[in-house]
Amino acid sequence: MTSIVLEQAVATADEMRRADAAAIAAGTPGEALMDRAGRAAASAIAAFTGPDHVLVLCGPGNNGGDGYVIARELAERGWPVTVGQLAPPSSREAVAAAAACPAPVEPLASVQPAPVLVDALFGTGMKRKLKPQVAGRLADLMGAANARIAIDLPSGVGTDDGALLGASLPFDMTIALAALKPAHLLYPAAGLCGRIVTADIGIPVETRCWRITKPRLSAPTFADHKYTRGFALVVEGAMPGAAMLAARGAQAAGAGYVVVAGTGAAPGGPDSVIQRQTDELELEQLLEDGRIGAVVVGPGLGRDREASVRLDAALSGPGCPLVLDADALVLLGASAIPVARRLHGRAAVLTPHEGEFVRLFGAQTGSRVDRARKAAATAQAVVVLKGPDTIVAAPDGRAAISGSPSFWLSTAGTGDVLSGVIAAMLARGLEPFEAACAGVWLHGEAARLAGPLINADALVPALNRTLADTACSN
Ligand SMILES: NC(=O)C1=CN([C@@H]2O[C@H](COP(=O)(O)OP(=O)(O)OC[C@H]3O[C@@H](n4cnc5c(N)ncnc54)[C@H](O)[C@@H]3O)[C@@H](O)[C@H]2O)[C@@H](O)CC1
Ligand SMILES: [K+]
């Protein structure tokens, strides 16, 4: 199978407002949407905690309105419920929800803590930092609770960029309404969300951003052979170990034939990775093999003249997709010629970490998603901005964010492995954006499977098991 499916939409505050407005214009009143949101959230809370005394903190906007519906729903189930009010409701829907809520209402400043704390102070309308007394009161009440649940978002985070705007303590669960928001996946906000559940409120949400989830990858069939499984070529440079990690990554991710174009250094690595020693001319000849499905260049390439020559050879070879990582990105950044021109319309996946990204594209403003999107449009290539929240962005505006990362991945060489995994996905025929998403997922899942990672080598066998599970279960 040569496509993957991204199903979990990630919507910005503006996209959510447009979705709400479209649903209202199509005939569903705002009160009905709030009612659906509050009921769905109340069911999720009931499933999470069981009956107990609940304190619902309500802000002035529609997030607070959801809070009043939740308080009403749980009170109707017979749970003891108190509302802690920051300010009176201000929107028409929230006023109506508050009027229908039978629970006692007390000021936030003086309300008593309860074992279950529901935060409906602010959601996607959060515009500025929480006042210190509000942030402090929220932290105190959270500290005194046994279960802490955020409605839509933890209050005090930036919806679109995941920045902290006064929030400090983690929740046990966050109930995302209608769709995920970037803050559920972008750090540091993502670290405060706890378990994330998405409550369906029956409205379509238009977005060009998704969470990266398990790809659908087929297992080999009787018709496959090593070249249909994918031929990945890794261009070696000054540090052969890094190229070998990329090659082993490609192999563990299912490539049928993996070749390292070596520089003459002593060969190491498994016998099943074919090592060909190549000078400049031989590399050019090797790159002309039309069966190659993807070329990796950058891991351990070096930054000297020879490295530039080998990069130029890879860039000027025939048209198979490229994965450009590490030193290749540094060399591209140091060149006066824009990346898009060096690629000549060639399909490519660029995999910078934050430092490489800034060198290549400059310090841009906006969220990591915005920055990756702009970079992809500039480079006319897929950009994988690596980090705890890895972003994949395509020149056509599609973007995807990884979820549930393993922080054990922050060790030398794991990026080299990722470049090989993405090459394997390209070589099996996925288009670059999908190949990058599938590669990022396999790599992250393998890290979770491996547990505490001592080094990048330990990732390779875990990758192999992850691929086997993925390909066999689809
Ligand atoms: N029809 C809709 O619009 C729906 C909205 N929903 C809920 O509505 C939320 C968005 O509602 P709103 O747009 O009203 O926004 P919020 O309820 O998140 O907050 C907006 C209010 O807070 C104020 N505010 C923002 N930052 C503040 C700060 N730091 N300190 C003090 N006040 C601050 C704003 O001036 C405004 O009055 C979503 O997160 C979701 O919970 C759901 O009920 C589903 C339907
Ligand atoms: K909230």
Side-chain angles (χ1 to χ4, degrees):
M1 182 174 296
T2 53
S3 79
I4 64 166
V5 181
L6 294 168
E7 286 161 334
Q8 293 189 26
V10 179
T12 61
D14 263 354
E15 286 166 340
M16 282 312 304
R17 271 190 278 279
R18 283 202 287 275
D20 287 339
I24 291 167
T28 307
E31 287 84 349
L33 294 178
M34 188 173 282
D35 208 61
R36 285 183 207 166
R39 281 169 188 266
S43 296
I45 293 166
F48 186 61
T49 70
D52 208 337
H53 191 147
V54 186
L55 171 60
V56 184
L57 305 183
C58 292
N62 283 346
N63 194 251
D66 296 342
Y68 292 107
V69 177
I70 292 165
R72 184 195 76 206
E73 280 292 305
L74 294 177
E76 283 174 1
R77 290 174 192 226
W79 295 27
V81 182
T82 307
V83 170
Q85 192 183 66
L86 170 64
S90 57
S91 73
R92 199 191 66 239
E93 293 93 333
V95 167
C101 176
V105 178
E106 294 177 28
L108 177 70
S110 55
V111 73
Q112 291 297 305
V116 179
L117 185 283
V118 175
D119 160 29
L121 289 174
F122 300 107
T124 55
M126 185 85 205
K127 288 191 191 85
R128 50 193 182 273
K129 275 196 98 152
L130 285 181
K131 283 191 182 140
Q133 51 283 35
V134 176
R137 193 69 189 123
L138 175 61
D140 288 347
L141 293 167
M142 284 176 71
N146 299 329
R148 293 148 282 256
I149 298 149
I151 303 307
D152 208 11
L153 289 158
S155 295
V157 303
T159 307
D160 296 346
D161 64 5
L164 297 189
L165 300 172
S168 55
L169 293 184
F171 284 84
D172 300 295
M173 177 165 82
T174 295
I175 302 169
L177 299 173
L180 292 171
K181 319 296 174 312
H184 295 124
L185 303 173
L186 296 180
Y187 285 83
L192 300 187
C193 292
R195 177 195 302 189
I196 297 166
V197 297
T198 305
D200 182 9
I201 63 167
I203 61 170
V205 180
E206 295 253 342
T207 167
R208 298 273 282 156
C209 185
W210 299 268
R211 180 186 198 160
I212 298 175
T213 44
K214 185 175 180 175
R216 294 181 189 167
L217 299 172
S218 54
T221 69
F222 72 94
D224 278 308
H225 52 76
K226 62 187 174 193
Y227 295 119
T228 59
R229 297 273 304 276
F231 177 173
L233 179 80
V234 181
V235 177
E236 189 187 87
M239 287 159 285
M244 187 51 72
L245 277 172
R248 290 172 62 210
Q251 202 175 45
Y257 190 59
V258 182
V259 175
V260 171
T263 52
D271 293 337
S272 50
V273 170
I274 291 95
Q275 301 192 52
R276 298 264 303 271
Q277 302 314 321
T278 50
D279 62 18
E280 196 182 322
L281 192 63
E282 288 163 337
L283 177 61
E284 281 173 14
Q285 284 166 350
L286 182 55
L287 283 161
E288 279 168 15
D289 189 333
R291 295 168 303 182
I292 299 173
V295 174
V296 180
V297 56
L301 183 67
R303 300 174 188 179
D304 57 5
R305 206 200 71 84
E306 194 185 342
S308 290
V309 167
R310 292 174 80 77
L311 174 61
D312 286 347
L315 288 170
S316 60
C320 81
L322 296 167
V323 181
L324 298 166
D325 184 37
D327 288 336
L329 301 174
V330 175
L331 290 172
L332 285 173
S335 159
I337 306 170
V339 179
R341 268 192 35 217
R342 305 269 320 256
L343 290 172
H344 302 293
R346 181 104 170 252
V349 179
L350 278 53
T351 57
H353 58 55
E354 185 66 36
E356 290 160 348
F357 183 91
V358 172
R359 275 203 223 190
L360 196 50
F361 298 109
Q364 301 168 348
T365 54
S367 72
R368 277 169 64 76
V369 178
D370 295 338
R371 292 162 62 221
R373 271 190 173 131
K374 275 185 228 158
T378 304
Q380 284 298 297
V382 168
V383 169
V384 177
L385 174 52
K386 295 184 289 195
D389 39 17
T390 292
I391 313 294
V392 179
D396 63 9
R398 283 174 298 165
I401 314 174
S402 63
S404 334
S406 162
F407 301 127
W408 288 96
L409 269 176
S410 51
T411 174
T414 55
D416 304 329
V417 176
L418 175 64
S419 62
V421 177
I422 294 173
M425 295 299 109
L426 289 165
R428 72 162 24 230
L430 292 179
E431 61 93 12
F433 177 74
E434 295 197 334
C437 290
V440 166
W441 187 88
L442 286 171
H443 188 250
E445 188 63 16
R448 254 192 308 287
L449 192 68
L453 265 187
I454 305 159
N455 55 43
D457 290 300
L459 200 52
V460 174
L463 250 174
N464 207 198
R465 291 206 302 282
T466 304
L467 178 75
D469 289 350
T470 308
C472 293
S473 65
N474 282 311

